[in-house]
Amino acid sequence: GESVGLHLPTLSVQEGDNSIINCAYSNSASDYFIWYKQESGKGPQFIIDIRSNMDKRQGQRVTVLLNKTVKHLSLQIAATQPGDSAVYFCAETGNTDKLIFGTGTRLQVFP
Amino acid sequence: EPEVTQTPSHQVTQMGQEVILRCVPISNHLYFYWYRQILGQKVEFLVSFYNNEISEKSEIFDDQFSVERPDGSNFTLKIRSTKLEDSAMYFCASSGKVNTEAFFGQGTRLTVV
């Protein structure tokens, strides 16, 4: 039978459009943040990170924005492709090195 | 590209049995972790390990759990007496420095029946 789990928010975008995935983090003392991508049946895969002394960081097709005032993190994916379909998790670390993961957002890309 | 490898990919065990999940972290990394993910839920921290000892553990990591680095390459998670609720994906991760990118393995799916 189907197991009960958290209902993941889902973002559906058309191929070629830009995607924005949002995350609210909990600990104001957190100073390092990572976005991970998880495809079905696989482990989390690093996408991009940012430290608390920055507001924005860009990678290849991805940008992370950090708003410490409201404890908000976002991931922007430019020109979304079918291969971007996955669950995206933000994670934070504070005064310890353990990662605290958010609940995740499912990104669905349709043609 | 270096990667974290985990074995087995899938383990089925009877309730009450002991299981050992194995991981080979990236070779020059010093910080090792176990996380778990119950189906459809978020990834949860279990334990971190540095300098041959546990540096932090979560409430999930009770007396039934233990970790070991038996040699210079392997990092294991042992569950002494498995329960049905231990069924989950277990991910090993490693990093080279504290508060830097952690690399995850592909996971071991543990099914307790």
Side-chain angles (χ1 to χ4, degrees), chain A residues 3-8 31-32 34 36 38 41-46 49 51 89 93-104, chain B residues 31 33 35 37-45 48 50 55-58 89 91 95 98-107 109:
Chain A
S3 63
V4 177
L6 289 173
H7 172 69
L8 283 179
D31 58 7
Y32 179 57
I34 308 176
Y36 282 96
Q38 187 178 30
K42 295 186 178 180
Q45 178 187 0
F46 172 87
D49 58 2
R51 298 197 181 273
F89 292 95
T93 68
N95 51 1
T96 68
D97 59 345
K98 71 179 182 186
L99 289 169
I100 301 170
F101 281 80
T103 54
Chain B
Y31 298 85
Y33 311 88
Y35 290 81
Q37 185 179 32
I38 294 171
L39 184 63
Q41 299 191 17
K42 64 181 179 180
V43 179
E44 301 175 288
F45 170 79
S48 57
Y50 170 71
S55 46
E56 188 173 359
K57 59 184 180 180
S58 71
M89 283 289 286
F91 293 107
S95 64
V98 68
N99 278 1
T100 59
E101 174 188 353
F103 292 82
F104 283 76
Q106 293 296 304
R109 180 175 298 283

Side-chain angles (χ1 to χ4, degrees), chain A residues 81-92:
Chain A
Q81 302 168 359
D84 295 327
S85 295
V87 177
Y88 289 80
F89 292 95
C90 66
E92 60 183 295

